[in-house]
Amino acid sequence: MIAFPMAAFLNAITADIANRFVAFFMDKFSTVTSQTNEGKRLQHDLQRLLLRVRIIIEEAEGRCMTNKAMIYQLNILRKEMYRGYFTMDSLRIQGYKELKDHDVSHSSAPSEFNPAKRRFFCTGNKHMEKDTHQVLQNLNNIMVDMSEFVAILNNCPVLYRQPYSMHMYIGKCMFGRQMEMERVMDFLVQIEHPSMESLGVLPIVGTIFVGKTTLIGHVCNDSRVRRHFSRIVLVTEDETRDESVSTLNYGGVIVHQDNSNDQSERLLTIIEFSRNIDEVSWNSLYSSAKGCGASGSRMIITSRSNDIIKFGTTQPLVLSSLPLEAYWYLFKILVFGSIDSNDHPRLESIAMEMARWMNGSFIDAHIMSDFLRKNLDVQNWCMCLATVKKNIQRNIYLYGEDPYALAGKNKSISYQVDNNIVFYSQHRACRGKDSVPVITVHDLCGSAVKREGEFDVLLWKSNILPYKSYVASCMIEESS
């Protein structure tokens, strides 16, 4: 038996352990590198595909399409684009957070070859990789069927020339309601047999500030509607109290009137109900409305309550908040404007978290984007996010509901701004002829207002039809 020196034996054991450790490390590094390359490839493919999708959508939105199947196909493509951008931004933000957390937990200088800095997908976020694959598959499947769409689109007339920057365009258009508008248009311009005596009624239902009036404003401004009806009248609930023919025929606000065209006096009446209406009052109002216009006249009724659905002669249109993917697309453009959000990953991360808390509110998207855009400072954005969270939780604690549910019921909302408690109530929309408050919500948050008692404050003034100003009554109390 040959005896080996102990030193040689230990060296052999040490070398074997070292070789195993190196092999283990290289295997792990190879796995992480593979994950990194896969993540980069997926992100690159998604970004490239989204660019193609966006080109088609922006070109289509600048053309007049009358083919319903094309409009439906475009809407599907638009929804998948929103989902694609949301997935890509979430992926990038998650990678930024992981990188930041790693840098915080390691005081030594980070290595260029550190796997933790290079990976796109960690083991806890495999669902993001799965979502990305699904989005890519959906977009690819849709794009396969878009060749005929693009060919037909080239024959559609151009509506307008879009501004170069998307943020200049999106702030002055109705966002995310294209299919709903086409649904209303179909109802309004449908030709009926002259023997039909019933007056068509379309109920539109939705919570406060969800876009009912904005949708109607764009419909009434459409040239097809203005050619179809000789007169368009907007009537509020207060003006229908006497339920008289003269009120519906000559009262309200005349949105459009053309006595020169021969449309047999077809009338479009729009009634905004702020409260419930009983069936007896409705029957009397409907009977009066039938005598106001010729065959083919229409009526649109709007309310926050589902009770008006039973008064419709067709399926109601129910407006709900935008899905998070579409809302993030809108909010991101409003917040960053012409600035590339990729250059500000921390701000983009804060903005996405804020979008998750705002419950799809159009008004809050515009109000918060005005605040954030004026000061691209991380500390300022973090303070705004903390204030949003705190005030939502405050209202849930005090009233059992978040501010958006309370506003829908026109109940008071409590906000804490600096050392003051602000109570908002009686949220309403004012038309151009109404007086608009001088004090804005920015004045309140900037502590520039020192007033006692109840007063009105301007929340936001819309830049699109029907150019309404959104107002709330408020009262300031010093916090104890």
Side-chain angles (χ1 to χ4, degrees):
M1 183 175 180
I2 302 175
F4 287 95
M6 182 59 68
F9 178 76
L10 292 177
N11 287 338
I13 294 294
T14 303
D16 182 67
I17 293 175
N19 289 335
R20 289 175 181 269
F21 177 78
V22 170
F24 174 80
F25 176 79
M26 292 302 295
D27 181 65
K28 285 290 185 182
F29 183 79
S30 176
T31 302
V32 172
T33 302
S34 176
Q35 290 178 344
T36 301
N37 293 334
E38 175 69 5
K40 286 183 176 180
R41 185 188 67 79
L42 286 175
Q43 191 179 42
H44 174 73
D45 290 347
L46 182 57
Q47 188 173 17
R48 184 166 52 87
L49 187 55
L50 284 172
L51 180 60
R52 293 174 58 198
V53 170
R54 184 173 170 181
I55 290 172
I56 295 175
I57 291 176
E58 291 185 6
E59 181 65 25
E61 288 178 344
R63 293 178 178 267
C64 178
M65 293 186 298
T66 57
N67 188 301
K68 303 303 178 186
M70 288 183 64
I71 295 173
Y72 180 75
Q73 188 176 9
L74 178 63
N75 190 57
I76 294 176
L77 184 64
R78 189 184 289 114
K79 288 181 178 179
E80 287 301 325
M81 182 189 72
Y82 296 152
R83 183 183 175 191
Y85 274 112
F86 181 81
T87 301
M88 188 174 66
D89 292 340
S90 299
L91 181 65
R92 185 172 58 253
I93 289 171
Q94 180 63 33
Y96 169 77
K97 287 181 177 179
E98 290 178 13
L99 178 61
K100 183 181 178 184
D101 292 342
H102 177 265
D103 289 344
V104 171
S105 61
H106 292 74
S107 56
S108 59
S111 170
E112 181 182 357
F113 301 99
N114 192 325
K117 287 186 66 67
R118 294 170 56 84
R119 66 184 172 185
F120 277 75
F121 300 107
C122 66
T123 56
N125 288 311
K126 283 293 183 181
H127 68 278
M128 295 185 67
E129 182 177 2
K130 183 179 179 181
D131 287 346
T132 307
H133 277 290
Q134 185 63 52
V135 169
L136 275 170
Q137 182 179 349
N138 292 347
L139 284 172
N140 276 312
N141 291 339
I142 295 174
M143 290 297 287
V144 168
D145 301 327
M146 293 303 293
S147 56
E148 294 86 355
F149 179 94
V150 173
I152 299 175
L153 185 66
N154 289 330
N155 297 323
C156 296
V158 177
L159 286 175
Y160 52 81
R161 183 175 295 277
Q162 250 180 229
Y164 178 77
S165 298
M166 175 56 71
H167 75 279
M168 297 174 63
Y169 162 72
I170 208 167
K172 296 182 179 180
C173 75
M174 182 179 60
F175 181 83
R177 300 296 187 197
Q178 291 84 1
M179 288 299 294
E180 289 85 347
M181 183 167 178
E182 289 301 320
R183 164 76 193 286
V184 178
M185 292 293 301
D186 286 344
F187 165 76
L188 293 179
V189 300
Q190 182 180 7
I191 303 298
E192 294 180 344
H193 193 274
S195 62
M196 296 288 290
E197 296 182 358
S198 61
L199 173 65
V201 179
L202 171 65
I204 300 180
V205 179
T207 59
I208 187 173
F209 301 154
V210 78
K212 301 184 295 295
T213 306
T214 301
L215 175 62
I216 291 175
H218 279 71
V219 168
C220 293
N221 196 52
D222 193 284
S223 59
R224 292 171 290 175
V225 175
R226 291 179 173 249
R227 287 194 301 265
H228 191 77
F229 296 97
S230 60
R231 188 152 43 95
I232 303 175
V233 180
L234 176 62
V235 182
T236 62
E237 184 178 21
D238 292 336
E239 294 170 312
T240 64
R241 291 288 171 82
D242 58 3
E243 299 141 10
S244 66
V245 175
S246 60
T247 299
L248 294 176
N249 207 0
Y250 303 105
V253 176
I254 299 178
V255 178
H256 164 73
Q257 183 165 349
D258 186 1
N259 297 324
S260 61
N261 60 10
D262 182 21
Q263 299 298 339
S264 302
E265 294 297 323
R266 278 200 294 260
L267 173 66
L268 170 58
T269 306
I270 301 160
I271 304 179
E272 298 177 343
F273 291 107
S274 57
R275 292 178 292 272
N276 292 337
I277 179 173
D278 59 83
E279 196 158 352
V280 175
S281 300
W282 167 255
N283 289 334
S284 177
L285 180 65
Y286 181 75
S287 298
S288 300
K290 285 178 63 177
C292 293
S295 175
S297 294
R298 292 286 188 272
M299 178 185 290
I300 297 176
I301 54 177
T302 69
S303 176
R304 303 175 196 169
S305 172
N306 291 330
D307 291 343
I308 68 166
I309 290 178
K310 60 187 176 184
F311 302 135
T313 62
T314 185
Q315 287 294 320
L317 177 60
V318 180
L319 297 184
S320 56
S321 299
L322 292 176
L324 179 59
E325 294 86 354
Y327 187 72
W328 166 242
Y329 186 84
L330 169 68
F331 187 59
K332 178 182 175 181
I333 292 177
L334 292 177
V335 168
F336 289 99
S338 59
I339 299 173
D340 188 355
S341 62
N342 295 345
D343 297 334
H344 303 274
R346 177 62 176 142
L347 296 182
E348 187 179 43
S349 174
I350 297 170
M352 178 172 280
E353 187 173 359
M354 193 175 296
R356 295 179 185 272
W357 282 83
M358 293 194 301
N359 201 36
S361 169
F362 282 105
I363 291 184
D364 278 9
H366 286 276
I367 293 175
M368 290 307 304
S369 63
D370 286 342
F371 273 113
L372 301 176
R373 198 168 52 242
K374 292 178 180 178
N375 187 358
L376 299 179
D377 177 71
V378 172
Q379 185 177 1
N380 174 62
W381 284 39
C382 286
M383 289 176 59
C384 289
L385 175 60
T387 300
V388 169
K389 291 181 178 179
K390 179 179 67 176
N391 284 319
I392 290 176
Q393 294 165 349
R394 173 185 177 85
N395 282 274
I396 293 175
Y397 174 76
L398 291 176
Y399 309 117
E401 294 182 291
D402 63 57
Y404 308 102
L406 293 169
K409 300 175 182 178
N410 227 358
K411 293 183 178 180
S412 295
I413 302 172
S414 175
Y415 283 97
Q416 183 166 1
V417 181
D418 295 332
N419 295 323
N420 295 325
I421 305 296
V422 181
F423 293 93
Y424 291 100
S425 63
Q426 298 297 322
H427 297 75
R428 62 191 185 278
C430 301
R431 295 190 179 89
K433 65 178 182 180
D434 299 328
S435 58
V436 178
V438 177
I439 301 174
T440 67
V441 67
H442 294 273
D443 297 329
L444 289 181
C445 296
S447 301
V449 177
K450 303 295 182 183
R451 295 190 60 168
E452 296 181 355
E454 187 173 340
F455 59 96
D456 288 343
V457 60
L458 175 64
L459 299 177
W460 176 60
K461 190 172 184 179
S462 175
N463 293 320
I464 62 178
L465 289 169
Y467 306 109
K468 283 193 173 182
S469 299
Y470 298 90
V471 178
S473 299
C474 69
M475 182 174 59
I476 299 178
E477 292 183 0
E478 291 187 3
S479 59
S480 55

